[in-house]
Amino acid sequence: MAAPMLRWVGRGRLWTFARVDGGSCHRRGAPTGSTSNRIRGQSSVAQQPLYTTQKPRKGEHKWAAVVGLEIHAQISSNSKLFSGSQVRFSAPPNSLVSFFDASLPGTLPVLNRRCVEAAVMTGLALNCHINKKSLFDRKHYFYADLPAGYQITQQRLPIAVNGSLTYGVCAGKKQSQVIPKTVRIKQIQLEQDSGKSLHDDLRSQTLIDLNRAGVGLLEVVLEPDLSCGEEAAAAVRELQLILQALGTSQANMAEGQLRVDANISVHHPGEPLGVRTEVKNLNSIRFLAKAIDYEIQRQIDELENGGEILNETRSFHHQLGCTMSMRDKEGKQDYRFMPEPNLPPLVLYDATSLPAGADPQQVINIDQIRETLPELPRVTRERLVQQYGMLLEHSFTLLNEVGLLEFFQNVIKETRAEPKKVTSWVLNTFLGYLKQQNLAVSESPVTPSALAELLDLLDSRTISSAAAKQVFEELWKGEGKTPGQIVSEKQLELMEDRGSLEQLCHSVMEAHPQVVMDLKEGNPRAINKLIGLVRKATQSRADPAMIKEILEKKLSS
C-alpha cells in the first residue's frame, strides 16, 4: 500500500497529501558517522550514584559518573522522511536514491505522514508532551555522505519534549531482584539519516552509498541521569522493546536501526561536573555497557594519575574492549543552524483544537493516535505476573529475549501443565540450551507444541522429571520425533507395578546394608541415597515419592 505523504502547497500554511510507492516495511542501514554530534550544555543530574574503582581503599576518594545518551532509531516506514524512495536493508548501493536524496538543485522535501505519526506515538508512549507546533531546521556540516551539506532536523522546537523512561536493573546476589529506575527524556526530534561511507583500504579510497540518505530517524535525547553501563544498557533495551511494541521502529541494532551516542564524565560528589567525552555510534547493547564502563574507569585512572580529560569524540573498539580517540571537540563546531525554508511549521491537533469539518486525512490528531497505543512492555510484565503468578524478574527475561514471550505463550495455550511449571521449563531448560549453543529462539529445534506435549506427559505422571529431561535432550537433536515416540522407543514410562518396585527396593536395601544402618541410626540423608540407587536401577522410570513411601514402610516394619 502506498504511504501517505504530507506536502506543503502554498498559502494558508496547509498540508496536503501525495502518495508514493511503498510496499512492505523493510530494514535498513548499518551504523556510520555523521549523525548528530551537537554539543549541549551540562544538565543537572537528579541522581548520581557513586562509581568506584573496585573496592575503595581507606581514604580513597569516591567518584560519581554521569552518563547521558542520544539514541537514533530508524523509523519503520516504506519510504524516506522527505522523498518517495524505498527503505530497504542490503539493497544494491545507490539503487534507492531519489533526486532529492542526491540533493539535485530544484528538488523539494515532502514530509512523510507515517514518520510524523511514529514520532507522536513514540512520544506518547514515553510520557512526553507533544508540541502542537514544531519546526524544522538545517544543521550545516560537511561530510562526504551528506550531499546537501546540511541535515534537516528539529533543533529549536522538536515534536516531543519532557518525557520519562522507566526501566529495571537487576540486583542482589543472584541478580534476581529488579530495581525500577527512571531516566528523564529531554526531547524527541525528527531528522534525516546520512548516507554511508564504505572505506576500501586496499585501494586507499572511500566509496559513498546514498541508499540510507534521507531515511527518517527519531532522535531520543536522554538527560544525564545514568551512572554506569548496566543502567544505560537496561534503559536502551527498554526503549528498544517499546519501539518494537509500537511498531515505530524495528530497532534491530545489528542492521543499524538503533544507534547510541554516550556522553560520559566523572567527578567527586559535591564538586562541579567533569569534562565529558562522547563515545559515538554504539550498535550493540553489550558493547554500549562495555564502552561506558571502560570510559568511566579510563577517566578515573587518568585523573588519579594527575592527567586531564579532553573534551573529545571517541569510538569503541569491540575487539580490544577499549575506547579510542577520534577527534577533539575543544573548538566548538558551528553548525550554523537556520530555519528550513522549504518546510513550514508542523502543526498537530487534538480533540479540543481540531477544526470543525476538518478532513481526517489532512490532519494528524494526537488523541486519535493515543487511542491506538498497544500494550507496552511494562504493562505486559505486570499482566504476566498477575496472570501466571511468575516473579517480576522472570517477566523481564521473557520480554528481553527476542521471541521468548511468544514461545512461552504458545506453550501455555497447548499444555495442561501449570503456568509455574511452564515458566520453569522455558526459562531454565529451554533457555539454558539456547544459551549453551548460542541460538536464537527462532533457531530452536524444539517447537512450542513439542514442549507442550512433553509437559503434558510429565503432568499426567506418565514420565518422571528425570525422564522428561532425557526426552528434551532427544528433542533437541531435531530428528523430528514427538515426545510420545521418544518415551515409547526408550521405554521411559513410569513403573506402575507397585509389586515389582517393592521387590526392587528390597533388593537394593539388602545390597547396601551400611546405608540402611546409617538411616536407622538417624542419618536423614541416607534415604536419598537409597532412592537414588532404586531410580538408577529403574533407569529413572520410578516415581521418587513412591520409592520413598515403600522404603519408609519397609524400614518401619
Side-chain angles (χ1 to χ4, degrees):
M1 179 178 175
M5 309 291 283
L6 286 161
R7 185 189 298 279
W8 169 246
V9 295
R11 293 185 182 179
R13 295 180 179 266
L14 295 175
W15 293 99
T16 186
F17 286 91
R19 294 276 175 181
V20 296
D21 59 331
S24 59
C25 290
H26 298 287
R27 299 178 176 179
R28 287 207 26 90
T32 185
S34 75
T35 53
S36 171
N37 55 1
R38 165 170 45 91
I39 302 175
R40 294 187 306 279
Q42 299 277 9
S43 300
S44 61
V45 180
Q47 293 181 337
Q48 297 177 0
L50 298 182
Y51 189 98
T52 61
T53 58
Q54 305 299 329
K55 290 184 179 179
R57 297 182 294 274
K58 185 177 180 180
E60 184 181 64
H61 292 292
K62 292 182 179 180
W63 294 91
V66 180
V67 179
L69 302 179
E70 296 175 12
I71 303 163
H72 297 85
Q74 180 182 307
I75 299 171
S76 291
S77 173
N78 296 331
S79 53
K80 297 183 181 180
L81 183 58
F82 296 118
S83 79
S85 298
Q86 278 193 340
V87 178
R88 189 171 75 244
F89 182 67
S90 294
N94 296 310
S95 62
L96 303 175
V97 185
S98 70
F99 291 152
F100 178 79
D101 302 331
S103 195
L104 295 186
T107 55
L108 295 174
V110 179
L111 184 57
N112 186 335
R113 178 187 179 112
R114 160 62 185 164
C115 292
V116 176
E117 291 175 336
V120 172
M121 182 175 284
T122 302
L124 292 172
L126 295 175
N127 310 302
C128 292
H129 169 73
I130 306 299
N131 287 322
K132 293 181 182 178
K133 177 182 176 182
S134 59
L135 305 174
F136 288 97
D137 306 282
R138 289 185 179 182
K139 175 184 177 181
H140 293 84
Y141 61 95
F142 173 76
Y143 209 78
D145 54 24
L146 192 70
Y150 61 85
Q151 176 194 41
I152 300 178
T153 182
Q154 292 188 307
Q155 188 262 347
R156 292 173 297 160
L157 189 57
I159 196 167
V161 294
N162 300 332
S164 62
L165 171 65
T166 300
Y167 61 97
V169 175
C170 294
K173 292 182 179 179
K174 296 182 179 180
Q175 297 288 291
S176 59
Q177 182 183 359
V178 178
I179 300 176
K181 296 196 173 188
T182 300
V183 57
R184 293 169 296 155
I185 295 174
K186 180 179 181 181
Q187 65 190 57
I188 299 174
Q189 61 197 49
L190 281 165
E191 65 183 25
Q192 295 172 298
D193 206 346
S194 62
K196 199 174 171 187
S197 297
L198 306 172
H199 304 290
D200 187 343
D201 294 332
L202 292 177
R203 298 179 177 84
S204 298
Q205 63 183 1
T206 297
L207 304 175
I208 303 299
D209 180 9
L210 294 181
N211 279 348
R212 202 179 67 184
V215 169
L217 294 179
L218 292 174
E219 181 177 358
V220 183
V221 182
L222 305 186
E223 296 283 12
D225 297 341
L226 307 170
S227 63
C228 63
E230 182 185 12
E231 288 186 4
V236 171
R237 178 56 180 150
E238 185 69 13
L239 177 61
Q240 185 182 40
L241 290 172
I242 290 172
L243 293 172
Q244 290 169 345
L246 296 172
T248 55
S249 175
Q250 294 176 2
N252 186 337
M253 300 189 80
E255 295 183 0
Q257 295 169 352
L258 193 70
R259 307 181 315 252
V260 185
D261 302 335
N263 292 281
I264 305 156
S265 69
V266 299
H267 67 285
H268 290 303
E271 296 182 2
L273 299 183
V275 176
R276 62 187 173 131
T277 60
E278 182 180 31
V279 183
K280 297 284 289 184
N281 289 333
L282 296 162
N283 63 344
S284 157
I285 290 179
R286 185 163 57 94
F287 293 161
L288 170 67
K290 286 186 175 182
I292 291 173
D293 287 338
Y294 175 87
E295 183 60 20
I296 290 172
Q297 193 62 54
R298 184 193 71 82
Q299 292 186 21
I300 291 173
D301 293 342
E302 185 74 24
L303 292 172
E304 289 188 343
N305 290 326
E308 63 176 347
I309 304 303
L310 301 177
N311 183 12
E312 62 181 346
T313 299
R314 301 177 71 87
S315 63
F316 180 68
H317 195 298
H318 67 274
Q319 292 175 323
L320 299 178
C322 65
T323 62
M324 305 174 70
S325 180
M326 293 173 62
R327 56 184 179 271
D328 72 78
K329 301 171 75 169
E330 292 300 329
K332 184 175 180 179
Q333 186 170 353
D334 182 9
Y335 292 116
R336 293 173 291 133
F337 283 104
M338 61 169 280
E340 169 53 60
N342 294 322
L343 288 169
L346 173 59
V347 178
L348 308 175
Y349 299 92
D350 59 17
T352 59
S353 62
L354 189 66
D359 184 354
Q361 296 301 316
Q362 300 297 319
V363 296
I364 291 179
N365 188 330
I366 299 170
D367 291 330
Q368 194 174 41
I369 294 176
R370 193 192 311 273
E371 292 173 0
T372 65
L373 288 176
E375 183 180 77
L376 297 177
R378 175 181 56 81
V379 179
T380 302
R381 284 190 285 264
E382 292 174 355
R383 175 174 59 80
L384 290 171
V385 171
Q386 294 175 1
Q387 186 174 354
Y388 301 120
M390 66 175 62
L391 298 175
L392 181 60
E393 53 266 28
H394 291 164
S395 69
F396 268 88
T397 304
L398 284 176
L399 264 73
N400 286 345
E401 297 291 335
V402 177
L404 192 60
L405 176 60
E406 183 181 1
F407 185 95
F408 169 81
Q409 290 176 327
N410 287 335
V411 175
I412 285 284
K413 290 176 185 176
E414 298 186 41
T415 184
R416 300 186 302 272
E418 293 182 354
K420 287 187 177 180
K421 182 171 287 187
V422 177
T423 302
S424 176
W425 270 83
V426 169
L427 296 184
N428 296 327
T429 307
F430 178 72
L431 188 57
Y433 272 74
L434 287 177
K435 290 187 177 297
Q436 282 178 8
Q437 300 189 22
N438 197 26
L439 296 176
V441 174
S442 59
E443 299 171 317
S444 166
V446 178
T447 65
S449 298
L451 182 55
E453 183 182 344
L454 173 59
L455 293 177
D456 282 343
L457 291 173
L458 185 59
D459 188 62
S460 62
R461 302 179 67 83
T462 303
I463 57 174
S464 65
S465 297
K469 291 180 180 179
Q470 292 183 47
V471 174
F472 188 88
E473 191 172 337
E474 291 297 318
L475 287 172
W476 197 262
K477 294 178 181 178
E479 296 176 352
K481 297 178 181 178
T482 66
Q485 290 172 335
I486 294 171
V487 169
S488 179
E489 289 177 6
K490 295 189 172 291
Q491 298 182 343
L492 295 175
E493 301 93 340
L494 279 175
M495 289 182 63
E496 297 182 357
D497 187 347
R498 186 180 180 91
S500 299
L501 190 56
E502 288 179 348
Q503 290 181 2
L504 189 58
C505 289
H506 182 74
S507 300
V508 168
M509 291 174 67
E510 285 188 339
H512 298 86
Q514 185 58 49
V515 179
V516 175
M517 185 63 67
D518 292 342
L519 186 58
K520 289 182 177 180
E521 290 177 355
N523 183 358
R525 295 183 179 180
I527 195 168
N528 292 331
K529 186 169 183 179
L530 287 176
I531 293 172
L533 291 168
V534 175
R535 293 189 68 206
K536 184 177 180 181
T538 62
Q539 296 181 331
S540 300
R541 293 175 57 205
D543 182 4
M546 185 180 292
I547 296 173
K548 185 177 182 181
E549 179 188 340
I550 294 172
L551 289 172
E552 289 176 342
K553 185 176 180 180
K554 287 185 173 293
L555 287 168
S556 61
S557 61

